[in-house]
Amino acid sequence: MDKIDAVIVGGGLAGLSAAYKLADAGKQVILLERGDAPGSKNVTGGRIYVDPIREYLPEIINEAPFERHVVKEMITILDDDSSMQLEYGNNKWRKEPYMSYTILRARFDNWFSEKLMEKGVFVIPKKKVDDLLWEDGRIAGIKAGGEEIGAHIVIAADGALSFMAEKAGIRKPLEPQNYALAIKEIYKLDENTIEERFGLEPGEGAANLFAGSITKGMFGGGFLYTNRDTLSLGLVVGIDALIRQETPLEAYRLMEEFSARPEIKRWIRGAEQKEYSAHIISEGGIHGMPKVYTGGMLLAGDAAGFALNLGLTVRGMEFAVASGVLAAETANEALDKGDTSEAFLSIYEKKLKESFVLPDMETFRHSKEVLENKRLFTVYPKFLCELLDVLFTIGKGPKEPLYKSAMTVAKRYVLNWDGFKDIMSMRKM
Amino acid sequence: MNIVVLAKQVPDPEALVEISAGGKKLEIEQKFATNLFDEFAIEEALRIREKHAGKVKVITLGGGKATEVIRTGIAMGADEALLLEDEAFLDGDGYATALALSRAAAKEPFDIILCGRQAIDHDRGEVGQMVAQFLGLPHVGNVVKLDIADGKAVAESAIEGGKEIVEVQLPAVFTAQKGLNEPRVPQIMGVMKAMKVQIPKATLGDLGLSPEEAGLKGSKVRIEKYLSPKKRPPMQLITGEPMQAAAEAIRILIDVERVI
C-alpha cells in the first residue's frame, strides 16, 4: 500500500497548525476532522494570546480573522447577593502588535483550513477516525469508516479525550480531577451596542472573569468575552467537584443561574442567544500529560494535555499552535530521515522543552492544587463582598469605626490559620 | 451503460437568507451543500454502474462553489464531470437551465439521465421534466426504486397514498425522490481524488447556444418579488409547577388560541 507522508487526526488549532507546517515543508498531508468543518465541534472560551505563537505561524497570526483585541480586563467577584468588580486597562494594549484577541473558532478554524487547502493539504471533514493501523509494533496509519489509510506518521490532535492516544496505549486512564466541564453560550448583539456597553473603541474588546458563589464552592469560574458582534458567555466547573457535590446540581442549572445574575444580565440585555455548547477541557496540567510520542505517532494540543489554568488566565490555544508546529517539525525531520521510530521521535519532547510549552507547564505544575482550594471560591469572595458591605453600609444606630468593622470581617474570614496557609500555598504558583 | 447525473449545489439549509433590493434579490450566506435529492440521483447512478458497468458523468451549471457538487460526485465515485460555466448562464430560470443542461447531456450518447426531483432552494421541481422535453425523452418522476434490464427500466414512483410502477424504454430521464437509496459517504481516497481533479468546463458556445437562449435573456419566467415568510409569534414561557403549567398551557390552547 502506498503511504501518505502524514495523517493528522483532528482539525483544531494543533492539527491545523501541524498540517500547515508540514505542507509548507512540501509533505503530503491528510487532515481528518470529525465535524462538518474544522471549528465546528470545538468549544473555546474565546481568547488567544498571540505573542507566544507569532513566531511559529507569522502569516496566519498576522492575517487571521480574530474578533477584537482585548484592551480591558475585568474581574467580578460574586457572593450570593453581592459582587465587586475590578477593571484594569492599559494603553499599551491599544497599540499594535496586540497582545491578545477574542476569537470565534468556527470562523477562525474554517478560515485556517481554507489556507491549508490552498497549500494542497487534503482537509477532509465528516470523517471520524476509528482506529490506528500497526506495522512491526509501530503506528502506520489510521482506519476510518472501514477504509485504511497508511501513513508514515500520524499526528493525533484529537482533543482533550484523545482516542488516538488511548488506542496507541500512551494515554493515562482518565481521572475526573484532570478535567473540567465548560459550558458556553453565544449572544448576538450589534457592534455599536457592544462598544457602548463595555466602553470600547471600534475593534476593541473586553474580557471579564467571574469567580465566587456562581460555582457553589466548586473549582471553576465564569467568563465573558466580547466578539465582533456577539458575546461569549460561559462557565467552567471541575468535573471532580461536580461529582462530589453534597446536593447535586446539574451543570446546566449552574449556567442558567449564572446567566440570570444581574452582573451578567447587564451585559446580555437585549441580546439574542444564538448558540449553546459544552465540552470537556483538560485541567490536569503537567500531571495530566500522557507520553506525547510513540513509534509512528505524535500527540499535539489538548490531546497531549497541553492546557494550563492559572485562574486569571486560561491557556490552551497557544500550546495547541506551538505543539502542532513542533510536532510538524519533528515529523518533517523524521520523514526526511526515513525514521519514525520512537527513539527518533523523542526529539519532539526536546523541542517542547526548548519552547515555552513544557517550561510553562513545569513552572505552573502546582497551580492546580493551589486553585483547587475550595476557600478561593467561597471564603475569599464572601470576605471581599462583606468587607465592602460594612464599609459602605450606613444603618440606623451609630456606626462602628471603619477599621474595627473591617478587622471583624477580616478575622472572621481570612486572618486566621487557614488564611496563612493559603498565602503560603500561593507561593507555589 | 452511460449515466448522466444533473446535480446542483444549493445554499446550506442553515445558511442565512435575506431579501434585498426591494424584494428583487436574495442575499445568501456563503454556505453550500449538495442538493439532497441530487445525492440520491448520484448514488443511484453509481449503483446502476456497479451492476451494469459503464460510466457516470455529473453535470452542473454555475460558478464559484458550484464545482463542489462535482467534487462530491467524484468523491462518491463518479467517473466524469462537466461544469457549465459562463456569465451568460447567470440568473436563468428552470427553462434556460434545462435547455443548457439538455445540450450538455446530449454531447455524448447516454442511456439514463438522473437528477433530484427538485432543488431544495427554489423547490420548483421542473428542470428534470424540461430536460426530458428538450431531448424528446420519457420522464419518470419521484422515483423510489429503479431496476434496469434489457434496455428498459422498471421504476417505482411515490404517489399520494401509494406507489406507481411503470416500465419505460431507455434512454429516459428519472427524478429521484427520498427513499430511493441511502447516499454513501465519500471515502478519504475518493475525496483526495476529487480535490485534485481538473474539472472540464463548457461555455455557451460549446453547447451551441446563443446568448439569447441562456440565463436571464433566455428565461421565460421572471422573478417579480420575494416576500419573507410570516414571522412566528413570540414564544411564551409558562412558569410554575409542571402540573399547573400544563393546565395553563391547555387553557391557553382552548380559550385563547382556540386550537383545540
Side-chain angles (χ1 to χ4, degrees):
Chain A
M1 181 168 54
D2 266 357
K3 277 189 180 169
I4 305 282
D5 287 334
V7 166
I8 297 174
V9 184
L13 275 182
L16 293 164
S17 304
Y20 189 86
K21 275 289 169 186
L22 273 172
D24 243 1
K27 297 294 186 284
Q28 191 187 28
V29 184
I30 303 181
L31 185 147
L32 302 172
E33 159 61 34
R34 182 172 58 116
D36 285 350
S40 62
K41 286 263 182 197
N42 52 36
V43 178
T44 290
R47 181 194 193 157
I48 186 165
Y49 297 88
V50 291
D51 278 344
I53 49 175
R54 203 183 298 274
E55 60 184 287
Y56 288 88
L57 285 177
E59 323 81 84
I60 293 297
I61 299 302
N62 293 335
E63 287 171 36
F66 294 123
E67 297 295 313
R68 293 170 176 272
H69 57 274
V70 178
V71 300
K72 189 178 280 194
E73 305 281 357
M74 300 189 284
I75 297 171
T76 310
I77 307 290
L78 304 102
D79 197 4
D80 292 336
D81 290 302
S82 55
S83 64
M84 63 163 281
Q85 175 143 323
L86 188 75
E87 192 178 307
Y88 178 72
N90 193 325
N91 271 336
K92 71 178 179 191
W93 293 337
R94 296 197 139 96
K95 291 184 198 109
E96 289 192 78
Y98 302 123
M99 177 181 79
S100 76
Y101 294 89
T102 54
I103 180 172
L104 282 174
R105 294 285 301 281
R107 181 179 289 154
F108 179 85
D109 292 13
N110 218 341
W111 172 85
F112 200 166
S113 81
E114 303 256 331
K115 293 273 158 197
L116 294 183
M117 288 191 264
E118 283 167 22
K119 282 199 178 279
V121 175
F122 296 102
V123 179
I124 304 180
K126 298 180 198 169
K127 274 288 166 200
K128 184 174 152 282
V129 176
D130 305 310
D131 211 342
L132 295 165
L133 294 179
W134 295 82
E135 219 175 76
D136 309 324
R138 196 185 287 184
I139 289 158
I142 56 99
K143 281 189 205 171
E147 201 179 356
E148 299 191 345
I149 303 290
H152 294 293
I153 196 158
V154 173
I155 297 180
D158 53 338
L161 295 176
S162 182
F163 292 102
M164 294 302 104
E166 185 185 319
K167 298 272 182 196
I170 51 177
R171 190 182 70 188
K172 296 174 186 176
L174 299 177
E175 291 173 24
Q177 64 269 25
N178 284 343
Y179 296 90
L181 174 69
I183 301 177
K184 177 178 157 187
E185 299 175 341
I186 291 187
Y187 289 89
K188 178 124 180 94
L189 199 60
D190 78 84
E191 284 185 56
N192 294 334
T193 311
I194 289 178
E195 281 150 16
E196 221 159 86
R197 205 170 274 187
F198 287 83
L200 302 165
E201 295 296 319
E204 293 181 349
N208 195 349
L209 291 171
F210 301 83
S213 61
I214 49 166
T215 54
K216 315 263 178 214
M218 290 182 276
F219 168 65
F223 59 83
L224 175 70
Y225 297 112
T226 57
N227 304 312
R228 203 160 1 128
D229 56 1
T230 54
L231 301 175
S232 296
L233 175 71
L235 197 62
V236 177
V237 193
I239 287 187
D240 198 41
L242 270 175
I243 301 170
R244 289 170 198 276
Q245 289 179 94
E246 278 160 27
T247 39
L249 192 63
E250 299 277 0
Y252 75 90
R253 293 283 241 170
L254 282 178
M255 184 68 203
E256 277 174 6
E257 287 181 18
F258 173 50
S259 57
R261 291 278 309 216
E263 293 85 352
I264 296 298
K265 270 194 184 155
R266 61 178 289 210
W267 300 125
I268 58 174
R269 196 184 311 124
E272 188 192 347
Q273 191 183 331
K274 283 289 187 192
E275 285 179 30
Y276 188 95
S277 57
H279 212 284
I280 295 291
I281 53 179
S282 314
E283 297 256 314
I286 204 160
H287 307 290
M289 270 176 50
K291 186 158 155 252
V292 296
Y293 61 92
T294 183
M297 182 160 114
L298 299 165
L299 302 185
D302 272 353
F306 296 143
L308 210 49
N309 185 346
L310 300 181
L312 293 182
T313 53
V314 183
R315 298 173 57 190
M317 287 187 275
E318 303 91 72
F319 295 131
V321 169
S323 63
V325 167
L326 296 174
E329 277 179 17
T330 308
N332 188 42
E333 287 168 33
L335 289 167
D336 287 346
K337 275 244 156 96
D339 181 0
T340 56
S341 67
E342 183 169 331
F344 187 85
L345 292 181
S346 68
I347 57 166
Y348 178 43
E349 197 167 86
K350 201 166 148 258
K351 286 177 190 286
L352 287 165
K353 278 184 183 148
E354 286 162 6
S355 74
F356 67 90
V357 179
L358 279 182
D360 274 2
M361 298 285 291
E362 185 58 46
T363 305
F364 298 104
R365 65 157 49 236
H366 297 294
S367 74
K368 199 163 149 290
E369 39 188 291
V370 175
L371 290 173
E372 255 171 2
N373 180 358
K374 210 175 154 148
R375 292 164 51 83
L376 289 179
F377 310 99
T378 51
V379 173
Y380 290 96
K382 265 200 186 325
F383 161 65
L384 288 170
C385 288
E386 261 185 54
L387 180 64
L388 292 173
D389 198 58
V390 298
L391 295 181
F392 283 115
T393 303
I394 302 290
K396 233 184 355 187
K399 193 164 168 57
E400 280 203 357
L402 292 180
Y403 180 77
K404 194 176 168 204
S405 310
M407 279 310 284
T408 313
V409 177
K411 275 181 187 153
R412 191 182 313 149
Y413 290 107
V414 294
L415 289 184
N416 49 31
W417 176 237
D418 280 333
F420 177 70
K421 277 199 301 191
D422 291 344
I423 289 175
M424 295 306 281
S425 88
M426 289 293 168
R427 295 187 314 169
K428 291 184 186 165
M429 250 174 104
Chain B
M1 188 80 47
N2 287 343
I3 309 156
V4 172
V5 182
L6 308 176
K8 185 184 183 188
Q9 196 75 347
V10 292
D12 188 283
E14 287 178 10
L16 297 172
V17 179
E18 268 173 40
I19 297 171
S20 67
K24 291 281 178 208
K25 281 210 142 176
L26 294 180
E27 298 289 337
I28 302 169
E29 190 189 359
Q30 294 295 297
K31 268 166 109 174
F32 296 91
T34 299
N35 180 37
L36 177 71
F37 293 103
D38 295 343
E39 278 191 35
F40 300 137
I42 296 170
E43 176 63 34
E44 197 60 21
L46 296 172
R47 290 186 189 194
I48 294 168
R49 183 197 65 191
E50 279 155 15
K51 232 171 162 176
H52 302 276
K55 63 172 192 190
V56 173
K57 182 178 191 174
V58 179
I59 302 178
T60 193
L61 182 150
K65 290 275 176 189
T67 53
E68 290 303 308
V69 68
I70 282 183
R71 295 196 195 275
T72 303
I74 290 175
M76 286 171 76
D79 307 278
E80 291 177 10
L82 183 64
L83 171 67
L84 311 187
E85 194 180 29
D86 198 316
E87 293 253 314
F89 290 134
L90 285 180
D91 301 323
D93 66 351
Y95 182 89
T97 304
L99 177 60
L101 287 173
S102 61
R103 291 286 175 90
K107 275 168 81 83
E108 281 175 35
F110 61 87
D111 304 285
I112 295 169
I113 292 181
L114 269 162
C115 61
R117 71 187 289 254
Q118 72 198 81
I120 60 164
D121 47 7
H122 280 94
D123 281 337
R124 292 216 190 95
E126 59 191 7
V127 170
Q129 293 90 316
M130 290 198 211
V131 166
Q133 185 78 14
F134 281 124
L135 295 170
L137 295 178
H139 159 261
V140 184
N142 285 334
V143 174
V144 289
K145 192 164 186 285
L146 190 58
D147 288 312
I148 308 291
D150 310 323
K152 278 189 251 170
V154 175
E156 269 183 41
S157 299
I159 56 169
E160 184 82 36
K163 279 180 190 169
E164 183 180 61
I165 298 177
V166 299
E167 190 187 86
V168 63
Q169 200 72 36
L170 296 181
V173 178
F174 302 90
T175 57
Q177 164 69 310
K178 187 167 190 272
L180 179 59
N181 53 45
E182 188 68 42
R184 68 194 66 189
V185 178
Q187 295 225 309
I188 295 166
M189 285 303 177
V191 176
M192 289 175 67
K193 185 178 159 200
M195 284 171 148
K196 279 189 284 198
V197 78
Q198 284 287 329
I199 298 168
K201 291 179 188 174
T203 59
L204 203 59
D206 299 328
L207 303 180
L209 290 169
S210 71
E212 284 68 40
E213 293 173 293
L216 193 58
K217 281 188 198 158
S219 293
K220 307 283 183 194
V221 176
R222 306 260 147 131
I223 290 157
E224 273 301 306
K225 201 172 173 104
Y226 288 104
L227 298 170
S228 301
K230 244 186 164 168
K231 278 237 163 72
R232 269 200 247 164
M235 182 199 68
Q236 185 182 346
L237 191 68
I238 304 167
T239 53
E241 289 303 309
M243 285 285 276
Q244 276 83 30
E248 174 63 8
I250 298 296
R251 190 193 66 77
I252 294 171
L253 289 174
I254 295 173
D255 296 346
V256 184
E257 301 295 333
R258 295 175 188 278
V259 290
I260 34 179

